[in-house]
Amino acid sequence: MPSRRVIPLLTLACAVCVATIYFPQAISPLIAADLHVAPSAAAQTATGAQLGYALGVFLLVPLGDRLRARPLIVVLMVLTAAAMLAAGLATSLPVLLIAGTLAGVFTVVPQVIIPMVAGLVPDNRRGAVVGTLLGGVLAGILLARTFGGTLGSWLGWRAPYLVAAAVILVLAAVLAVTVPRTEPSAQHNYPSLLAEALRLLRREPELRRSALYQVLLFGGFSAAWTCLALLISGPRYGLGAQTVGLIGLAGAVSVFVTPIAGRWIDRRGPEPVSMIAIVGVVASAGVLAFGLLGGVAGLVLLIAGLVLLDTAVQANQVANQSRIFALLPEARSRLNTAYMTCTFLGGTLGSWLGVQAYDLFGWGAVAGLIALAALAALGRHLAHRSTAAPGTPEPASSAPSAATPR
């Protein structure tokens, strides 16, 4: 089992790496002004980063079952830093989009770390530890906007990319000597690993259900945050990128929810947490719609809705990953590959649909998109509950299973 000092370090690595695909959401107005492109075009930097992340999850995360974790993590972080450096030096939007997408491909380190640690901790601590790591992911997602918006406002939009590249290189050097030594759990060749992720998605109904929940909820989450900068910098509020960063800082309170959700899952299983999380996203859409009010009241309600949305989506993520990691202990990276690829494809689609909805109909349409997606997830969850016999325990696939050292 990893030492108590290693878990916080791995949590920090999760936060820093995932932040690279989210801080473009806060600085897109600055990019638009400097590169002389439309704000909606600059907003596609966030979409490109998420698409790259989905590709990286599918193409690279299965290697977590085939290779030792430590060298894989370090190499991916070095490649991420190189792509971030290229993005920070870009002189045109196409070059920035390509470099940002490549950074998204390589910055999948959290999806290597989480299955690795899940295989090293005891059954009765898996939910809590996964919740802690996902708390780091959530902190990275939320504080990325504070980091990007604040630093970008002070030093220009290139600064967040260049600073992130330096921080990632330092962390890579530290992790090169602190990540626990693991052994591969599979001997499949690379094409077989990729095919296995697809086979698992086809074969495991609990994996498909978990992926569907997060595709819908994370799609709404991505739509909200991608369009937030457009709303905040538009005529209704007339504020800058730094405000988006401060809103992200306010949302960071939801970081404390993921470990709590993990402990609840350890005691009661993932299904109650999924139900509460999905209903929470439906409620958040209603609160976010009041962002149309403008002024102080609209801004306060906007922040409240985003905090609720962040908390609910991340709690559902803990429930989903606890559910899928219990299916096949020897294939956790491949299960996570299938799940996270679907999740970030959903996020990419959500970002794109959100921008289109905002351009055509405004912020109210974005809130409506979030509500529709969450209601679809709620319908699927209620259908699942109705097929389970009352009073029977959860299926074995949803309960914690034996950890397999890797």
Side-chain angles (χ1 to χ4, degrees), residues 311-364:
T311 300
V313 171
Q314 295 306 318
N316 190 61
Q317 176 87 320
V318 180
N320 287 337
Q321 290 193 298
S322 295
R323 187 185 295 117
I324 67 170
F325 287 156
L327 294 172
L328 295 167
E330 71 280 5
R332 287 194 175 100
S333 286
R334 283 160 284 171
L335 288 163
N336 202 44
T337 294
Y339 171 77
M340 291 304 300
T341 300
C342 292
T343 295
F344 275 87
L345 287 176
T348 302
L349 180 60
S351 290
W352 184 83
L353 287 175
V355 172
Q356 307 313 307
Y358 186 89
D359 274 350
L360 290 172
F361 305 109
W363 180 255

Coordinates of all heavy atoms in Angstrom, one line a residue, residues 311-364:
T311 N -20.0 19.9 -7.4 CA -20.1 19.0 -6.4 C -20.8 17.7 -6.8 O -20.3 16.6 -6.6 CB -20.8 19.6 -5.2 OG1 -20.1 20.7 -4.7 CG2 -20.9 18.6 -4.0
A312 N -21.9 17.9 -7.5 CA -22.7 16.7 -7.9 C -22.0 15.9 -9.0 O -21.9 14.6 -8.9 CB -24.0 17.2 -8.5
V313 N -21.3 16.5 -9.9 CA -20.6 15.8 -11.0 C -19.5 15.0 -10.4 O -19.3 13.8 -10.8 CB -20.2 16.7 -12.1 CG1 -19.3 16.0 -13.1 CG2 -21.4 17.3 -12.9
Q314 N -18.7 15.6 -9.5 CA -17.6 14.9 -9.0 C -18.0 13.8 -8.0 O -17.3 12.7 -7.9 CB -16.6 15.9 -8.3 CG -16.0 16.9 -9.2 CD -15.3 16.2 -10.4 OE1 -14.6 15.2 -10.2 NE2 -15.4 16.7 -11.6
A315 N -19.1 14.0 -7.2 CA -19.6 12.9 -6.4 C -20.0 11.7 -7.3 O -19.8 10.5 -6.9 CB -20.7 13.4 -5.5
N316 N -20.6 12.0 -8.4 CA -21.0 10.9 -9.3 C -19.8 10.2 -9.9 O -19.8 9.0 -10.1 CB -21.9 11.5 -10.4 CG -22.5 10.4 -11.2 OD1 -23.3 9.5 -10.7 ND2 -22.2 10.3 -12.5
Q317 N -18.8 11.0 -10.1 CA -17.5 10.4 -10.6 C -16.9 9.4 -9.6 O -16.5 8.3 -10.0 CB -16.5 11.5 -10.9 CG -15.1 11.0 -11.3 CD -15.0 10.7 -12.8 OE1 -16.0 10.3 -13.4 NE2 -13.9 11.1 -13.4
V318 N -16.9 9.7 -8.3 CA -16.5 8.8 -7.3 C -17.3 7.5 -7.3 O -16.8 6.4 -7.2 CB -16.5 9.4 -5.9 CG1 -16.0 8.5 -4.9 CG2 -15.6 10.7 -5.9
A319 N -18.6 7.7 -7.4 CA -19.5 6.5 -7.4 C -19.3 5.6 -8.6 O -19.2 4.4 -8.5 CB -21.0 7.0 -7.3
N320 N -19.1 6.3 -9.7 CA -18.9 5.5 -11.0 C -17.6 4.7 -10.9 O -17.6 3.5 -11.3 CB -18.9 6.4 -12.2 CG -20.3 6.9 -12.5 OD1 -21.3 6.3 -12.2 ND2 -20.4 8.1 -13.2
Q321 N -16.5 5.4 -10.5 CA -15.2 4.7 -10.6 C -15.2 3.6 -9.5 O -14.5 2.6 -9.7 CB -14.1 5.7 -10.5 CG -14.0 6.5 -11.7 CD -12.7 7.3 -11.8 OE1 -12.5 8.2 -11.0 NE2 -11.9 7.0 -12.8
S322 N -15.8 3.8 -8.3 CA -15.8 2.8 -7.3 C -16.6 1.6 -7.9 O -16.2 0.4 -7.6 CB -16.5 3.3 -6.1 OG -15.8 4.3 -5.4
R323 N -17.6 1.8 -8.6 CA -18.4 0.7 -9.2 C -17.6 0.0 -10.3 O -17.6 -1.3 -10.2 CB -19.7 1.3 -9.9 CG -20.7 0.3 -10.4 CD -21.9 1.0 -11.1 NE -22.7 1.8 -10.2 CZ -22.8 3.1 -10.4 NH1 -22.2 3.8 -11.3 NH2 -23.6 3.8 -9.5
I324 N -17.0 0.7 -11.2 CA -16.3 -0.1 -12.3 C -15.0 -0.7 -11.8 O -14.6 -1.8 -12.3 CB -16.0 0.9 -13.5 CG1 -15.0 2.0 -13.1 CG2 -17.3 1.5 -14.0 CD1 -14.5 2.7 -14.4
F325 N -14.3 -0.1 -10.8 CA -13.0 -0.7 -10.3 C -13.3 -2.1 -9.6 O -12.4 -2.9 -9.5 CB -12.3 0.2 -9.4 CG -11.6 1.4 -10.1 CD1 -11.4 2.6 -9.4 CD2 -11.3 1.3 -11.4 CE1 -10.8 3.6 -10.0 CE2 -10.8 2.4 -12.1 CZ -10.5 3.6 -11.4
A326 N -14.5 -2.3 -9.2 CA -14.8 -3.6 -8.5 C -15.2 -4.7 -9.5 O -15.3 -5.8 -9.1 CB -16.0 -3.4 -7.6
L327 N -15.3 -4.4 -10.8 CA -15.7 -5.4 -11.8 C -14.7 -6.4 -12.0 O -14.9 -7.6 -11.9 CB -16.1 -4.7 -13.1 CG -17.4 -3.8 -13.0 CD1 -17.5 -3.0 -14.4 CD2 -18.6 -4.6 -12.7
L328 N -13.5 -5.9 -12.5 CA -12.4 -6.8 -12.8 C -11.1 -6.2 -12.3 O -10.5 -5.4 -12.9 CB -12.3 -7.0 -14.3 CG -13.5 -7.7 -15.0 CD1 -13.4 -7.5 -16.5 CD2 -13.5 -9.2 -14.7
P329 N -10.6 -6.6 -11.1 CA -9.4 -6.0 -10.5 C -8.2 -6.1 -11.4 O -7.4 -5.2 -11.4 CB -9.2 -6.8 -9.2 CG -10.6 -7.4 -8.9 CD -11.3 -7.6 -10.2
E330 N -8.1 -7.1 -12.2 CA -6.9 -7.3 -13.1 C -7.0 -6.4 -14.3 O -6.0 -6.3 -15.1 CB -6.7 -8.7 -13.5 CG -7.8 -9.2 -14.5 CD -9.1 -9.6 -13.9 OE1 -9.3 -9.4 -12.7 OE2 -10.0 -10.1 -14.7
A331 N -8.1 -5.7 -14.5 CA -8.2 -4.9 -15.8 C -8.7 -3.5 -15.4 O -9.4 -2.9 -16.2 CB -9.2 -5.6 -16.7
R332 N -8.2 -2.9 -14.3 CA -8.7 -1.6 -13.9 C -8.4 -0.5 -14.9 O -9.1 0.4 -15.2 CB -8.2 -1.3 -12.5 CG -8.9 -2.1 -11.4 CD -8.6 -1.5 -10.0 NE -9.4 -2.2 -9.0 CZ -8.9 -3.2 -8.3 NH1 -7.6 -3.5 -8.4 NH2 -9.7 -3.8 -7.4
S333 N -7.1 -0.5 -15.4 CA -6.8 0.5 -16.4 C -7.6 0.4 -17.7 O -8.0 1.4 -18.2 CB -5.3 0.4 -16.7 OG -4.5 0.9 -15.7
R334 N -7.9 -0.8 -18.1 CA -8.7 -0.9 -19.3 C -10.2 -0.5 -19.1 O -10.8 0.1 -19.9 CB -8.6 -2.4 -19.8 CG -7.3 -2.7 -20.6 CD -7.0 -4.1 -20.7 NE -6.5 -4.6 -19.4 CZ -6.4 -5.9 -19.1 NH1 -6.7 -6.9 -20.0 NH2 -5.9 -6.3 -17.9
L335 N -10.7 -0.9 -17.9 CA -12.0 -0.4 -17.5 C -12.1 1.1 -17.5 O -13.0 1.8 -18.0 CB -12.4 -1.0 -16.2 CG -12.8 -2.5 -16.1 CD1 -12.7 -3.0 -14.7 CD2 -14.1 -2.7 -16.7
N336 N -11.0 1.7 -16.8 CA -11.0 3.1 -16.7 C -10.8 3.8 -18.1 O -11.3 4.9 -18.3 CB -9.8 3.5 -15.8 CG -10.0 4.9 -15.2 OD1 -11.1 5.3 -14.8 ND2 -8.9 5.7 -15.2
T337 N -10.1 3.1 -19.0 CA -9.9 3.6 -20.4 C -11.3 3.8 -21.0 O -11.6 4.8 -21.6 CB -9.1 2.7 -21.2 OG1 -7.7 2.7 -20.7 CG2 -9.0 3.1 -22.6
A338 N -12.1 2.7 -21.0 CA -13.4 2.7 -21.6 C -14.3 3.8 -21.0 O -14.9 4.6 -21.7 CB -14.1 1.4 -21.5
Y339 N -14.3 3.9 -19.7 CA -15.1 4.8 -19.0 C -14.7 6.3 -19.2 O -15.5 7.1 -19.6 CB -15.0 4.5 -17.5 CG -15.7 5.5 -16.6 CD1 -17.1 5.6 -16.4 CD2 -14.9 6.5 -15.9 CE1 -17.7 6.6 -15.7 CE2 -15.5 7.4 -15.1 CZ -16.9 7.5 -15.0 OH -17.4 8.5 -14.2
M340 N -13.4 6.6 -19.1 CA -13.0 8.0 -19.2 C -13.0 8.4 -20.7 O -13.1 9.6 -20.9 CB -11.6 8.1 -18.6 CG -11.5 8.0 -17.1 SD -12.7 9.1 -16.2 CE -12.0 10.7 -16.7
T341 N -12.8 7.5 -21.6 CA -12.9 7.9 -23.0 C -14.3 8.4 -23.3 O -14.5 9.4 -23.9 CB -12.5 6.7 -24.0 OG1 -11.2 6.3 -23.7 CG2 -12.7 7.2 -25.4
C342 N -15.3 7.6 -22.8 CA -16.7 8.0 -23.0 C -16.9 9.4 -22.3 O -17.6 10.3 -22.8 CB -17.6 7.0 -22.4 SG -17.6 5.4 -23.4
T343 N -16.4 9.5 -21.1 CA -16.6 10.7 -20.3 C -16.1 12.0 -21.0 O -16.8 13.0 -21.1 CB -15.9 10.6 -18.9 OG1 -16.5 9.5 -18.2 CG2 -16.0 11.9 -18.1
F344 N -14.9 11.9 -21.6 CA -14.4 13.1 -22.2 C -14.9 13.3 -23.6 O -14.9 14.5 -24.1 CB -12.8 13.1 -22.1 CG -12.4 13.7 -20.8 CD1 -12.3 12.9 -19.6 CD2 -12.2 15.0 -20.6 CE1 -11.9 13.4 -18.4 CE2 -11.8 15.6 -19.4 CZ -11.7 14.8 -18.3
L345 N -15.3 12.3 -24.2 CA -16.0 12.5 -25.5 C -17.3 13.2 -25.2 O -17.7 14.1 -25.9 CB -16.3 11.2 -26.2 CG -15.1 10.5 -26.9 CD1 -15.5 9.2 -27.5 CD2 -14.5 11.4 -28.0
G346 N -18.0 12.8 -24.1 CA -19.2 13.6 -23.7 C -18.9 15.0 -23.3 O -19.6 15.9 -23.6
G347 N -17.7 15.2 -22.6 CA -17.3 16.6 -22.3 C -17.0 17.4 -23.5 O -17.4 18.6 -23.6
T348 N -16.3 16.8 -24.5 CA -16.1 17.5 -25.8 C -17.3 17.9 -26.5 O -17.5 19.0 -26.9 CB -15.2 16.6 -26.7 OG1 -14.0 16.3 -26.0 CG2 -14.9 17.3 -28.0
L349 N -18.3 17.0 -26.6 CA -19.6 17.2 -27.2 C -20.3 18.3 -26.4 O -20.9 19.2 -27.0 CB -20.4 16.0 -27.3 CG -21.8 16.1 -28.0 CD1 -21.6 16.6 -29.4 CD2 -22.5 14.8 -27.9
G350 N -20.3 18.2 -25.1 CA -21.0 19.2 -24.3 C -20.4 20.6 -24.5 O -21.2 21.6 -24.6
S351 N -19.1 20.7 -24.5 CA -18.5 22.0 -24.8 C -18.9 22.6 -26.1 O -19.3 23.8 -26.2 CB -16.9 21.9 -24.8 OG -16.5 21.6 -23.5
W352 N -18.9 21.8 -27.1 CA -19.2 22.2 -28.5 C -20.7 22.6 -28.6 O -21.1 23.7 -29.1 CB -18.9 21.1 -29.5 CG -19.2 21.6 -30.9 CD1 -18.4 22.3 -31.7 CD2 -20.4 21.3 -31.7 NE1 -19.0 22.5 -33.0 CE2 -20.2 21.9 -33.0 CE3 -21.6 20.7 -31.4 CZ2 -21.2 21.9 -34.0 CZ3 -22.5 20.6 -32.4 CH2 -22.3 21.2 -33.7
L353 N -21.6 21.8 -28.0 CA -23.0 22.1 -28.0 C -23.3 23.3 -27.2 O -24.2 24.1 -27.5 CB -23.8 20.9 -27.5 CG -23.9 19.7 -28.4 CD1 -24.6 18.5 -27.7 CD2 -24.7 20.0 -29.7
G354 N -22.6 23.5 -26.1 CA -22.8 24.6 -25.2 C -22.5 25.9 -26.0 O -23.2 26.9 -25.9
V355 N -21.3 25.9 -26.7 CA -21.0 27.1 -27.4 C -22.0 27.4 -28.5 O -22.4 28.6 -28.7 CB -19.6 27.0 -28.0 CG1 -19.3 28.2 -29.0 CG2 -18.5 27.0 -26.9
Q356 N -22.5 26.4 -29.2 CA -23.5 26.6 -30.3 C -24.8 27.1 -29.6 O -25.4 28.0 -30.2 CB -23.8 25.3 -31.0 CG -22.5 24.6 -31.6 CD -21.6 25.5 -32.3 OE1 -22.0 26.2 -33.2 NE2 -20.3 25.5 -31.9
A357 N -25.2 26.5 -28.5 CA -26.4 27.0 -27.9 C -26.3 28.4 -27.4 O -27.2 29.2 -27.5 CB -26.8 26.0 -26.7
Y358 N -25.1 28.7 -26.9 CA -24.9 30.1 -26.4 C -25.0 31.1 -27.5 O -25.6 32.2 -27.4 CB -23.6 30.2 -25.6 CG -23.4 31.5 -25.0 CD1 -23.9 31.8 -23.7 CD2 -22.8 32.6 -25.6 CE1 -23.7 33.0 -23.1 CE2 -22.6 33.8 -25.0 CZ -23.1 34.0 -23.8 OH -22.9 35.3 -23.2
D359 N -24.3 30.8 -28.6 CA -24.3 31.7 -29.8 C -25.7 31.9 -30.3 O -26.0 33.0 -30.8 CB -23.4 31.1 -30.9 CG -21.9 31.5 -30.7 OD1 -21.6 32.3 -29.8 OD2 -21.1 30.9 -31.4
L360 N -26.5 30.8 -30.3 CA -27.8 30.9 -31.0 C -28.9 31.5 -30.0 O -29.7 32.3 -30.4 CB -28.3 29.6 -31.4 CG -27.5 29.0 -32.6 CD1 -27.9 27.5 -32.9 CD2 -27.7 29.8 -33.9
F361 N -28.8 31.1 -28.7 CA -30.0 31.4 -27.9 C -29.6 32.0 -26.5 O -30.4 32.4 -25.7 CB -30.8 30.2 -27.6 CG -31.3 29.5 -28.8 CD1 -30.8 28.3 -29.2 CD2 -32.3 30.1 -29.6 CE1 -31.2 27.6 -30.4 CE2 -32.7 29.4 -30.8 CZ -32.2 28.2 -31.1
G362 N -28.3 32.1 -26.2 CA -27.8 32.7 -25.0 C -27.7 31.7 -23.8 O -27.9 30.4 -24.0
W363 N -27.4 32.2 -22.6 CA -27.1 31.4 -21.4 C -28.3 30.5 -21.0 O -28.1 29.4 -20.5 CB -26.7 32.3 -20.3 CG -26.4 31.6 -19.0 CD1 -27.2 31.5 -17.9 CD2 -25.2 30.8 -18.8 NE1 -26.6 30.7 -17.0 CE2 -25.4 30.3 -17.4 CE3 -24.1 30.5 -19.5 CZ2 -24.4 29.5 -16.9 CZ3 -23.1 29.7 -18.9 CH2 -23.3 29.2 -17.6
G364 N -29.5 31.0 -21.2 CA -30.6 30.1 -20.8 C -30.6 28.8 -21.6 O -31.0 27.8 -21.0

